[in-house]
């Protein structure tokens, strides 16, 4: 079974709808991330969480919110979807960052959710 | 703020030819560098990583990368490309303790590799 799973894998919705993307992991990592990928822009960080009680905005958090329900679960919500939120969304997890117990912040990615907002 | 630049948006090579994908990062400190590959319709897979030691690192699928601190670069290379290497490649960086970028990855824009038979 995959270590990082995302549901749904594909979603088409309409402008103004509320959408939730879910991420689950079995790697036992404390750190989880949400990115969006757009052609020519690479991956941009939306939100990240270094533990269940720690939630932080990334570089493009406007229009998004997150919930860390447990160590293994991290959900991304679009409260009122708009067409420019059409993108590929990735969840990732990581172990300790550099300089802590030998960590290197390698991130492990889910398969992605392709979201289309009409 | 840290940033990563991949100057080549799209590279086309013939099967069997050598490959070099460029990556430059900004900001000093001690970088921790990664190359990921994304095959069409797939998630990201780690090819290799560097955070200390020998500046030439070996990865999976026959890839290697060389860290050059003086040039702030971490270029990815492969001596002989296979058709299955066609994908999008991402360079990413994070830094050691201290600063607002600690523990977060910053990705480059990606380089799309096309392989001709």
């Amino acid at each position: 079974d995959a270590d990082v799973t995302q549901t749904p894998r594909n979603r088409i919705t309409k402008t103004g709808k509320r959408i939730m993307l879910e991420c689950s992991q079995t790697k036992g990592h404390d750190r989880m991330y949400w990115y969006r990928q757009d052609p020519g822009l690479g991956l941009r960080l939306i939100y990240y969480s270094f533990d269940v009680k720690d939630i932080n905005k990334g570089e493009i958090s406007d229009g998004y919110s997150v919930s860390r329900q447990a160590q293994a679960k991290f959900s991304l919500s679009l409260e009122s979807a708009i067409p420019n939120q059409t993108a590929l969304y990735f969840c990732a997890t990581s172990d300790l960052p550099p300089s802590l117990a030998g960590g290197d912040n390698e991130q492990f990615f889910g398969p992605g959710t392709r979201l289309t907002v009409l | 703020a840290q940033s990563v630049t991949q100057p080549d948006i799209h590279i086309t090579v013939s099967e069997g030819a050598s490959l070099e994908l460029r990556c430059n990062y900004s900001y000093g400190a001690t970088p921790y560098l990664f190359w990921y590959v994304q095959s069409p319709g797939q998630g990201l897979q780690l090819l290799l990583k560097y955070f200390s030691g020998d500046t030439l690192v070996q990865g999976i699928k026959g890839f290697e990368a060389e860290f050059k601190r003086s040039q702030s670069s971490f270029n990815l290379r492969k001596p002989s490309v296979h058709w299955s290497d066609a994908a999008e490649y991402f360079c990413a960086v994070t830094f050691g303790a201290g600063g607002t970028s600690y523990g977060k990855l910053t990705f480059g824009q990606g380089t799309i590799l096309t392989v001709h038979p």
Side-chain angles (χ1 to χ4, degrees):
Chain A
D1 289 337
D3 295 318
V4 185
T5 57
Q6 293 183 234
T7 55
R9 294 293 310 278
N10 288 282
R11 183 70 183 270
I12 300 174
T13 191
K14 295 182 179 180
T15 297
K17 293 292 187 180
R18 183 179 188 274
I19 296 296
M20 179 179 285
L21 308 183
E22 297 186 341
C23 176
S24 295
Q25 54 113 346
T26 58
K27 298 193 72 67
H29 289 162
D30 285 329
R31 295 170 171 239
M32 298 187 73
Y33 310 81
W34 275 104
Y35 295 91
R36 66 176 279 175
Q37 182 184 13
D38 299 277
L41 297 178
L43 277 75
R44 293 180 292 166
L45 184 63
I46 306 172
Y47 269 95
Y48 62 102
S49 170
F50 283 174
D51 66 43
V52 175
K53 297 180 180 180
D54 178 73
I55 304 288
N56 303 280
K57 293 182 178 179
E59 60 179 303
I60 54 163
S61 60
D62 288 349
Y64 301 95
S65 62
V66 291
S67 173
R68 185 80 184 266
Q69 300 95 325
Q71 185 204 39
K73 297 185 181 295
F74 192 37
S75 300
L76 176 72
S77 293
L78 289 67
E79 296 302 326
S80 180
I82 56 177
N84 77 359
Q85 292 177 313
T86 293
L88 186 56
Y89 289 84
F90 286 104
C91 174
T93 74
S94 72
D95 203 342
L96 295 169
S99 307
L100 288 180
D104 61 15
N105 210 66
E106 176 183 346
Q107 294 191 11
F108 298 84
F109 286 82
T113 294
R114 185 166 295 282
L115 176 65
T116 303
V117 183
L118 302 176
Chain B
Q2 66 190 32
S3 66
V4 178
T5 301
Q6 294 179 243
D8 304 304
I9 297 172
H10 196 166
I11 284 182
T12 299
V13 299
S14 298
E15 191 169 17
S18 63
L19 173 70
E20 183 170 30
L21 303 182
R22 296 183 290 166
C23 173
N24 293 93
Y25 65 92
S26 67
Y27 191 74
T30 303
Y32 294 74
L33 295 151
F34 305 82
W35 275 101
Y36 285 86
V37 60
Q38 183 182 27
S39 298
Q42 303 296 313
L44 277 73
Q45 180 184 21
L46 181 70
L47 283 176
L48 48 77
K49 59 187 176 183
Y50 168 81
F51 47 93
S52 67
D54 193 345
T55 56
L56 184 64
V57 293
Q58 303 297 320
I60 62 171
K61 305 184 180 185
F63 285 91
E64 66 178 26
E66 185 173 13
F67 170 57
K68 293 185 178 180
R69 185 184 297 276
S70 62
Q71 300 177 16
S72 297
S73 69
F74 189 58
N75 294 348
L76 182 71
R77 301 194 295 248
K78 186 169 186 178
S80 178
V81 171
H82 188 263
W83 64 266
S84 61
D85 293 324
E88 188 163 15
Y89 292 79
F90 293 94
C91 181
V93 65
T94 190
F95 292 92
T100 58
S101 300
Y102 181 49
K104 296 186 293 181
L105 278 183
T106 297
F107 285 83
Q109 304 91 326
T111 298
I112 297 170
L113 174 65
T114 298
V115 180
H116 282 167

